[in-house]
Amino acid sequence: MSSGGCGLSDLVRLNLRQDVMKEFGSVYQQQYAVALFNSVRYEIEGGGGAQSQLLHRKDPLAGRSIFSGSLFQYLEENRKWRNRFVSVPNSYTISLHESKTAHERGLHPKGTINCAGYKALTSMEEYIDLINTSLPDVKAKSGSNPFIKCATQFPLILWHPYARHHYFCVTTEKEQKKWHAVLQDCVRHSNNGLSEDCTVQTPAFTDSVRLHRQAKGHYGTWDMMCGTPPQILANLVMESLHPELRSVIAPRLRGKMQQRQKHWMLISDALYRQVLSQTTSQYEALAEACEALRAPLDGGLRTDMDQIIASKEHVSSKMRALVLPKAEQLLRTNVQPYISSILEALMEPSSRGFSEVREVFFRELVEISKNLLNGGGKDKLGDPMERLSMLALHPVKMQSCYEKVEQLNLEGLQQRFDLASPSVFVTQQVQMDNAVYTFEQLLNQSLETQGEDDMCKTIQRCQDRVLKKYDYDSSTVRKKFFRESLLQIIIPYMLQQLSPSCSPELPRFKELIFEDFSRFLLVENLFEEVVLQCVSKDIMMAVKEAAVQRRHNLYRDSIILSNSDPNLHLLEESPQVDWAAKFGGDEPEGPVGDGGESEGGGSGSRRRQVVSMIQLDGIPLSFESCMEVPGVEIIPEEDAEASEEPMSPDSVTGIRDLINPMVKLAPPVSKESPSDMTNGMEPTTGTVTWEDGEQDGVTHVTPTVEGGEQDGVTHVTPTVEDGEQDGVTHVTPTVEDGEQDGVHHKDQVFF
């Protein structure tokens, strides 16, 4: 790296020595053929678990927008807070608009945020702790002021280990909690960017990432497996590139502690955007190339499936003779004693989370019944039923369910098994929506066949049927979750322990595989399957024993409700009920800018908004979220030109300026006569003492001013905002007359 700095393209090329994308592409092509084999085999042989008792809504988000409202956003360009109208459509990508009017007119947003990989924070203390980890040698002192002055006491911060951070705030604690729940939901949904409907591409991708990281010695779960494939690949590249970049750049950053942290984040964001751009184009090309080969591969698989399966079983039996003795010994001594502890750690919070889903659903139905009994009547049933239909998508109402699961405590097990807390929020949300959708269809059917008399009893009967089905499905889903979580925790540990002794032996098994089948049968995958089969027996027994003991309301596998409501699943093909049109209700709320006509069968030209915080007409603005910008006494706003901060650099000059910042001076014209002035510069020793006590020598400061020429200044001691003095060795300002003035000592005030 040159002394003057480097361009982002050069920084990205630093990682070419490791050939991350090239190595990943090779692994992906291999795993694509394996995933295609598994998909076709599953299609031919069939299989699957117990049938769900609840109905499943095909597209819960159709015709919905999640949230919209106003808050403050910190603008890094001028270091000021400005009011922004924020909308969250059903894609969960945050859109920032100049105003509510601009959004309703369909104008392009000021910016958008994809929340994959972010963390939603509600305090500056949390944020400071995280940014202190970005530059290990540059940490804020306890109680020191952050470089962001929050406008209110209720901040909302989106933090990312590589990308740009986003700063917001609101005026009340109540709104902070609501916005925080919404932001967390955006993060969860954005993190879940791999489609389960892609039965070939998704398994091929996830296995490729896992095998690539295992080859680098990284076993176990990865907390940056977030977002779409290009985003995950960008995180994969940054995992190795980021530390290298930090070791090169961090020692050269100059300035106060907060300024160095700020400049490092700008450089990191610029690099991340460059990497993401490359991974996007490269993954698209890779996926397209593999898809082009799918048809001939699929044809060959269906023709030779029996022979491929027989060959796989033959090789696996030979491999088991090598692997099983070692695996069973490791299992007995290092894994079996901990299975019950891990299972209990998983069962307690996840079961509380699913119980909370049931309780939230039950409370909503009780409220509907209360409204009917208190004189609401059937004409008022439309609004509460419309709200119920969106319950699973409501971040605030579902927050208590997610919090129960987030209490999962695996303390003491991380070091042994290198695990992270699994997330089940998607499953919780799906189960809630299944319960709601089933209730809607049953209630609608009952009202059509039995009439609308005594609606409370009808609601009660439908409620009891749905809760019974929910309990069964909840048990089935949780048992599956426990088995998969135990495998995700134990298998990486087993592979890490067995690989040193088993991996050197694997190449000889390739000789047993016919060349025509070698694309679909890889010895690395067969080795993992042998280990998985060894562990699965103990895991299945542990979960089965917990179900037999009815711990946490689990059902035994022998209990099957296959014959209950045999005609219920016929309702799954019925159109979604429009309760507002059927029983009357208010005009559906939600901005028109998120998609116009409703796609989910709902009435009206506006999308229905899940969480309501938009100010209605006629209500004073003081009740709306953050509609007024705080005064100067809350946020000291500097002059835009003087306080302009650098954006993420995209060039050699941009990064060089962050590493070697320039000091700009504008001294007054000297009143001394020309004869008393010294032309040229007389070097002296100078240092700058920063806020954290570190001293940096200053060798040359060359400001750029309008005159275009330079004046030599022998010694200048500027006084900065905090009252400290910085020694500067050489300062060469240019005054208005274009001549050079020698100044022996001047005090210059910095702002």
Side-chain angles (χ1 to χ4, degrees), residues 401-419:
C401 307
Y402 304 145
E403 289 174 349
K404 298 289 185 182
V405 177
E406 289 170 355
Q407 296 171 5
L408 189 147
N409 181 17
L410 297 173
E411 185 177 355
L413 297 173
Q414 282 91 338
Q415 290 184 348
R416 176 174 293 274
F417 295 106
D418 188 24
L419 54 95

Side-chain angles (χ1 to χ4, degrees), residues 19-77:
D19 291 328
V20 173
M21 286 303 298
K22 183 178 179 181
E23 293 174 5
F24 174 84
S26 176
V27 176
Y28 181 82
Q29 289 175 335
Q30 295 175 345
Q31 293 303 312
Y32 185 89
V34 175
L36 182 61
F37 163 71
N38 293 330
S39 176
V40 174
R41 182 179 181 181
Y42 182 86
E43 177 189 335
I44 294 174
E45 297 181 349
Q51 183 181 15
S52 171
Q53 295 296 307
L54 295 170
L55 303 180
H56 181 72
R57 199 192 315 258
K58 292 182 178 179
D59 189 0
L61 292 170
R64 314 290 191 191
S65 66
I66 305 303
F67 189 74
S68 60
S70 297
L71 43 62
F72 290 137
Q73 180 191 18
Y74 181 75
L75 303 182
E76 299 183 68
E77 294 82 358

Side-chain angles (χ1 to χ4, degrees), residues 474-543:
S474 169
S475 173
T476 303
V477 166
R478 282 182 291 138
K479 285 189 293 184
K480 180 182 177 183
F481 165 70
F482 298 149
R483 289 191 292 265
E484 291 178 349
S485 297
L486 286 171
L487 288 174
Q488 291 175 4
I489 291 168
I490 295 172
I491 291 298
Y493 172 77
M494 295 279 290
L495 293 175
Q496 187 176 24
Q497 299 300 314
L498 294 171
S499 290
S501 60
C502 294
S503 293
E505 302 290 333
L506 295 182
R508 65 185 176 91
F509 292 100
K510 293 181 180 179
E511 301 173 0
L512 304 176
I513 302 174
F514 292 114
E515 184 177 356
D516 293 343
F517 304 157
S518 59
R519 299 193 65 172
F520 311 112
L521 303 178
L522 302 179
V523 293
E524 295 83 1
N525 294 77
L526 297 179
F527 167 62
E528 292 191 356
E529 286 187 18
V530 170
V531 176
L532 185 146
Q533 292 167 3
C534 175
V535 177
S536 294
K537 294 181 294 184
D538 291 89
I539 290 177
M540 295 288 288
M541 287 299 298
V543 176

Side-chain angles (χ1 to χ4, degrees), residues 165 425 511 578:
H165 304 165
F425 90 94
E511 301 173 0
D578 189 341

Side-chain angles (χ1 to χ4, degrees), residues 70-315:
S70 297
L71 43 62
F72 290 137
Q73 180 191 18
Y74 181 75
L75 303 182
E76 299 183 68
E77 294 82 358
N78 55 19
R79 297 172 62 185
K80 295 183 179 181
W81 293 83
R82 285 291 179 263
N83 183 266
R84 287 287 182 260
F85 184 82
V86 180
S87 67
V88 182
N90 55 15
S91 65
Y92 287 92
T93 298
I94 298 174
S95 298
L96 306 168
H97 300 268
E98 186 72 36
S99 64
K100 178 180 176 181
T101 302
H103 174 55
E104 291 178 338
R105 289 177 178 174
L107 302 180
H108 287 291
K110 288 286 185 180
T112 58
I113 304 173
N114 184 303
C115 294
Y118 278 89
K119 288 184 179 179
L121 311 175
T122 56
S123 74
M124 294 302 298
E125 289 75 16
E126 290 180 277
Y127 180 64
I128 291 175
D129 289 341
L130 287 172
I131 62 175
N132 279 342
T133 63
S134 62
L135 285 175
D137 298 330
V138 182
K139 294 186 177 181
K141 298 179 180 178
S142 178
S144 62
N145 295 325
F147 55 80
I148 299 293
K149 296 180 181 179
C150 191
T152 70
Q153 301 178 20
F154 309 104
L156 292 157
I157 302 171
L158 287 173
W159 174 89
H160 193 283
Y162 311 129
R164 163 162 296 191
H165 304 165
H166 301 276
Y167 313 96
F168 306 97
C169 66
V170 290
T171 56
T172 66
E173 183 179 3
K174 181 179 179 180
E175 291 199 73
Q176 184 190 43
K177 290 180 178 179
K178 288 185 177 181
W179 275 105
H180 186 232
V182 172
L183 293 179
Q184 284 182 308
D185 227 23
C186 291
V187 171
R188 294 187 191 103
H189 279 270
S190 300
N191 284 347
N192 189 39
L194 299 176
S195 173
E196 295 182 359
D197 296 332
C198 300
T199 57
V200 177
Q201 294 92 331
T202 296
F205 180 82
T206 55
D207 287 344
S208 299
V209 172
R210 178 177 54 79
L211 291 171
H212 177 85
R213 297 189 74 251
Q214 286 179 185
K216 305 295 182 183
H218 303 299
Y219 289 80
T221 54
W222 184 37
D223 57 0
M224 289 308 292
M225 191 78 172
C226 306
T228 60
Q231 290 174 313
I232 295 172
L233 288 177
N235 295 336
L236 190 66
V237 173
M238 293 295 289
E239 184 180 31
S240 56
L241 180 57
H242 208 246
E244 183 178 355
L245 174 70
R246 183 169 57 194
S247 65
V248 173
I249 297 293
R252 307 193 56 197
L253 294 173
R254 293 292 180 264
K256 293 184 178 181
M257 175 266 300
Q258 292 94 341
Q259 199 66 13
R260 277 179 283 169
Q261 288 178 335
K262 183 66 176 177
H263 288 169
W264 167 248
M265 287 187 289
L266 293 173
I267 294 172
S268 176
D269 171 63
L271 179 62
Y272 178 76
R273 288 188 287 111
Q274 287 276 343
V275 170
L276 180 58
S277 174
Q278 292 189 12
T279 57
T280 299
S281 59
Q282 292 179 27
Y283 176 74
E284 289 176 353
L286 178 63
E288 184 177 345
C290 289
E291 283 297 306
L293 299 175
R294 178 167 182 167
L297 288 176
D298 187 279
L301 275 172
R302 295 181 187 276
T303 302
D304 301 328
M305 180 60 71
D306 291 340
Q307 293 92 323
I308 296 175
I309 294 175
S311 177
K312 177 180 179 180
E313 182 55 35
H314 174 69
V315 177

